[in-house]
């Protein structure tokens, strides 16, 4: 049986992890590779690396990091952040990334999704969508890390993105992100039932029960960052708990 | 040991290269027929689309080279599918090493997503490729097309319905999942392919 996935997300700047961690046994807490190796050993099902570097050196630094991750890690990983061309993606895939995620650049140039799917296959194209609910009750797409609002509905964009060739949707609710009050069940459920590809829910996971709620018939995978980095939730304990809630999990890594 | 990874337009080779390196083997990545035919073992990776991959293999006569191979040969993901008779992906005639055909997953339920992406169990294991691998171990799958169950099936997985997670005929092996991305279970399977005394023709 296909299991649900637990995905830690690491924010990267200039090749280093941005947020601190509580892992005492890390030789170098700022090294994404060290942290990734720990998560892989703990049973994380996948990893996401989100690069927030803004400098011109970005592409080279990121490609070097991806190469070091691929050398060390034996589970799949996705790389995102500022990817805007077929060449950007080729560089990252050539260095060992399994998937890439695109967000603002795909919204501004939807053809990019078609190009990437045709060139590399849908399986490596993750469409990341940041969304927020407005007073009219509708969920809208936000760009540039949530700083820029659009008038496009989240569901419409998800459907279009999948039609163009996205193989997965990484859906972040800005209303829930950082709150630790649970994932956005409503919009995640709506998107999940309207698109045929897997949905990764992101934003709001603060307790094991939140993961159970979103993975039980709504999302295919759940992503979180700080609750894992600061040891508030341990991945082995979380997966054991979810398994006890009859959510299919890969328990022995 | 001389291990060759076949280089072609659908080979996502870096991860596999590193997985082999972690096991102490440095693969030669090549599309040269002499190098392929003189290898001790051969891996045929693959991520991509069937018809363009077959077209490329034919343009380099690699299709003819592959069916001549007598050493242990392992196809991965699309590599395995290309070793079957035919793929529904753009109606593509394939290499015909395995008798099984490759079909698109069909689901009547919105809860079953296509492609299948993630960790699924492999069972009914019958090959020394799986020595030391427990029944119902988890492996990482990413695919929309699958090979039927058949005489050459040596492992099964269930998604929509049961299908072939791995195939074997003579010196030819194929796995639908990505052993290079399947944590310790995958490492064990690659190690078995490298170290076990597998059949040669």
């Amino acid at each position: 049986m296909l299991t649900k996935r637990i995905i830690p997300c690491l924010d990267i700047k200039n090749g280093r992890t941005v947020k601190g961690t509580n892992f005492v046994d890390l030789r170098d807490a700022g090294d994404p590779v060290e942290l990734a190796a720990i998560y892989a050993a703990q049973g994380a099902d996948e990893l996401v690396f989100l690069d927030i570097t803004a400098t011109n050196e970005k592409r080279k630094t990121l490609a070097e990091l991806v190469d070091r991750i691929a050398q060390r890690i034996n589970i799949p990983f996705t790389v995102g952040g500022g990817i805007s061309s077929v060449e950007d993606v080729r560089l990252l895939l050539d260095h060992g990334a399994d998937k890439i995620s695109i967000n603002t650049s795909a919204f501004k140039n939807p053809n990019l999704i078609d190009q990437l799917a045709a060139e590399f296959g849908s399986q490596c194209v993750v469409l990341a969508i940041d969304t927020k609910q407005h007073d009219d009750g509708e969920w809208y797409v936000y760009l540039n890390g949530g700083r820029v609002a659009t008038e496009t509905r989240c569901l419409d964009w998800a459907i279009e993105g999948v039609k163009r060739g996205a193989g997965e949707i990484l859906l972040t609710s800005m209303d829930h992100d950082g709150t630790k009050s649970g994932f956005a069940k409503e919009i995640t459920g709506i998107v999940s039932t309207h698109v045929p590809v897997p949905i990764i829910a992101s934003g709001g996971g603060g307790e094991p029960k939140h993961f159970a709620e979103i993975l039980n018939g709504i999302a295919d995978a759940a992503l979180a960052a700080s609750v894992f980095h600061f040891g508030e939730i341990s991945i082995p304990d979380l997966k054991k708990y979810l398994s006890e809630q009859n959510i299919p999990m890969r328990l022995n890594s | 040991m001389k291990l060759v990874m076949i280089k072609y337009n659908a080979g996502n080779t870096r991860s596999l290269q590193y997985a082999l390196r972690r096991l102490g083997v440095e693969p030669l990545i090549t599309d040269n027929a002499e190098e392929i035919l003189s290898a001790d073992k051969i891996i045929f990776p693959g991520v991509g689309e069937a018809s363009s991959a077959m077209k490329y293999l034919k343009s380099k006569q690699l299709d003819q080279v592959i069916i001549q191979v007598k050493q242990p040969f392992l196809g991965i993901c699309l590599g395995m599918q290309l070793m079957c008779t035919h793929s529904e992906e753009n109606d593509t005639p394939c290499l015909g090493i395995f008798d099984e055909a490759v079909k698109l997953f069909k689901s009547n339920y919105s809860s079953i997503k296509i492609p299948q992406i993630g960790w699924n169990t492999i069972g009914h294991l019958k090959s020394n490729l799986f020595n030391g691998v427990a029944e119902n171990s988890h492996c990482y799958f990413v695919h929309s097309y699958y090979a039927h169950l058949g005489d050459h099936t040596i492992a099964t997985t269930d998604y929509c319905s049961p299908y072939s997670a791995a195939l074997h005929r003579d010196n030819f092996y194929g796995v639908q999942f990505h052993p290079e991305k399947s944590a310790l279970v995958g490492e064990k399977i690659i190690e078995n392919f490298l170290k076990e005394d597998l059949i040669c023709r």
Side-chain angles (χ1 to χ4, degrees):
Chain A
M1 187 177 208
L2 182 68
T3 61
K4 302 282 185 171
R5 289 170 279 153
I6 299 297
I7 307 178
C9 177
L10 287 74
D11 285 347
I12 307 295
K13 192 172 182 183
N14 300 319
R16 309 276 293 168
T17 50
V18 174
K19 294 168 188 163
T21 69
N22 269 4
F23 285 108
V24 287
D25 45 352
L26 271 181
R27 274 177 292 161
D28 177 357
D31 184 359
V33 181
E34 291 285 318
L35 187 54
I38 287 195
Y39 285 137
Q42 286 184 342
D45 296 305
E46 272 181 51
L47 299 167
V48 169
F49 297 87
L50 192 61
D51 187 52
I52 57 171
T53 313
T55 62
N56 293 332
E57 285 295 295
K58 176 190 176 101
R59 290 177 63 201
K60 193 168 155 247
T61 316
L62 185 58
E64 282 166 2
L65 174 64
V66 166
D67 197 85
R68 286 205 301 127
I69 296 163
Q71 288 185 40
R72 182 85 177 268
I73 303 301
N74 58 12
I75 59 170
F77 67 94
T78 301
V79 179
I83 294 167
S84 59
S85 70
V86 170
E87 286 63 42
D88 288 349
V89 171
R90 191 188 311 281
L91 184 72
L92 296 172
L93 296 180
D94 282 351
H95 280 81
D98 297 287
K99 311 181 216 180
I100 54 83
S101 79
I102 43 178
N103 190 330
T104 303
S105 61
F107 188 88
K108 290 185 171 163
N109 171 23
N111 237 347
L112 179 63
I113 305 174
D114 304 69
Q115 289 170 350
L116 294 177
E119 187 73 25
F120 309 110
S122 290
Q123 83 290 331
C124 70
V125 182
V126 180
L127 178 62
I129 304 177
D130 295 332
T131 190
K132 191 173 165 57
Q133 192 172 29
H134 286 192
D135 293 340
D136 63 0
E138 294 282 356
W139 292 81
Y140 291 90
V141 176
Y142 274 69
L143 305 177
N144 296 91
R147 293 189 297 276
V148 177
T150 75
E151 292 178 354
T152 301
R153 292 197 315 157
C154 172
L155 178 61
D156 295 340
W157 175 228
I159 289 172
E160 183 185 343
V162 170
K163 269 193 194 138
R164 287 177 177 273
E168 259 180 312
I169 302 276
L170 167 55
L171 186 66
T172 302
S173 163
M174 294 161 51
D175 293 333
H176 295 73
D177 203 19
T179 64
K180 297 185 183 175
S181 61
F183 293 90
K185 294 195 280 285
E186 183 203 342
I187 185 61
T188 308
I190 291 169
V191 173
S192 187
T193 49
H194 285 84
V195 301
V197 302
I199 308 293
I200 304 164
S202 158
E207 298 169 32
K209 74 166 190 200
H210 298 150
F211 289 80
E213 287 164 2
I214 198 72
L215 293 175
N216 191 3
I218 301 177
D220 301 281
L223 177 144
S226 58
V227 288
F228 296 138
H229 302 331
F230 292 105
E232 291 162 33
I233 296 181
S234 99
I235 291 173
D237 291 349
L238 174 63
K239 293 183 81 174
K240 184 166 171 285
Y241 164 81
L242 293 172
S243 179
E244 285 161 5
Q245 308 300 309
N246 293 319
I247 293 169
M249 281 284 133
R250 176 180 70 108
L251 289 182
N252 357 336
S253 53
Chain B
M1 179 177 35
K2 179 177 174 184
L3 181 82
V4 158
M5 269 167 68
I6 297 179
K7 181 176 157 188
Y8 69 120
N9 64 333
N12 183 7
T13 53
R14 189 64 68 108
S15 299
L16 192 55
Q17 183 189 350
Y18 287 152
L20 291 163
R21 200 179 278 176
R22 288 195 291 271
L23 291 165
V25 175
E26 190 61 44
L28 173 66
I29 304 171
T30 180
D31 58 3
N32 178 287
E34 278 178 33
E35 297 280 16
I36 293 169
L37 292 171
S38 67
D40 296 309
K41 293 191 178 177
I42 298 152
I43 295 184
F44 182 39
V47 172
E49 190 273 321
S51 68
S52 56
M54 276 307 297
K55 202 169 152 189
Y56 183 91
L57 293 175
K58 284 183 176 168
S59 74
K60 300 262 178 180
Q61 280 96 48
L62 285 169
D63 57 328
Q64 295 305 313
V65 173
I66 289 170
I67 57 175
Q68 286 174 50
V69 165
K70 297 190 166 44
Q71 307 89 318
F73 183 101
L74 177 65
I76 295 175
C77 195
L78 180 65
M80 184 206 84
Q81 295 185 359
L82 296 176
M83 293 160 75
C84 293
T85 50
H86 177 273
S87 173
E88 260 186 15
E89 189 171 24
N90 293 316
D91 191 18
T92 305
C94 296
L95 296 166
I97 292 165
F98 303 129
D99 291 340
E100 289 71 15
V102 175
K103 307 278 185 190
L104 178 65
F105 281 128
K106 279 193 184 62
S107 156
N108 297 321
Y109 305 99
S110 66
S111 61
I112 297 204
K113 301 304 181 72
I114 297 165
Q116 172 179 223
I117 298 181
W119 298 80
N120 204 332
T121 48
I122 56 171
H124 304 99
L125 306 177
K126 39 179 194 183
S127 165
N128 48 1
L129 194 61
F130 301 115
N131 279 355
V133 175
E135 280 283 316
N136 299 317
S137 291
H138 288 97
C139 291
Y140 188 78
F141 291 82
V142 181
H143 61 128
S144 298
Y145 294 81
Y146 69 97
H148 277 189
L149 295 177
D151 293 342
H152 299 128
T153 304
I154 52 167
T156 67
T157 294
D158 202 321
Y159 195 69
C160 299
S161 61
Y163 69 93
S164 293
L167 294 163
H168 169 221
R169 179 187 160 195
D170 303 328
N171 57 317
F172 290 103
Y173 296 78
V175 292
Q176 177 61 65
F177 52 87
H178 285 276
E180 76 278 17
K181 288 287 160 183
S182 295
L184 298 178
V185 170
E187 270 175 25
K188 181 65 188 164
I189 292 167
I190 298 174
E191 191 183 9
N192 286 343
F193 179 73
L194 297 175
K195 292 188 180 159
E196 286 287 326
D197 199 11
L198 300 174
I199 300 166
C200 298
R201 277 193 294 174

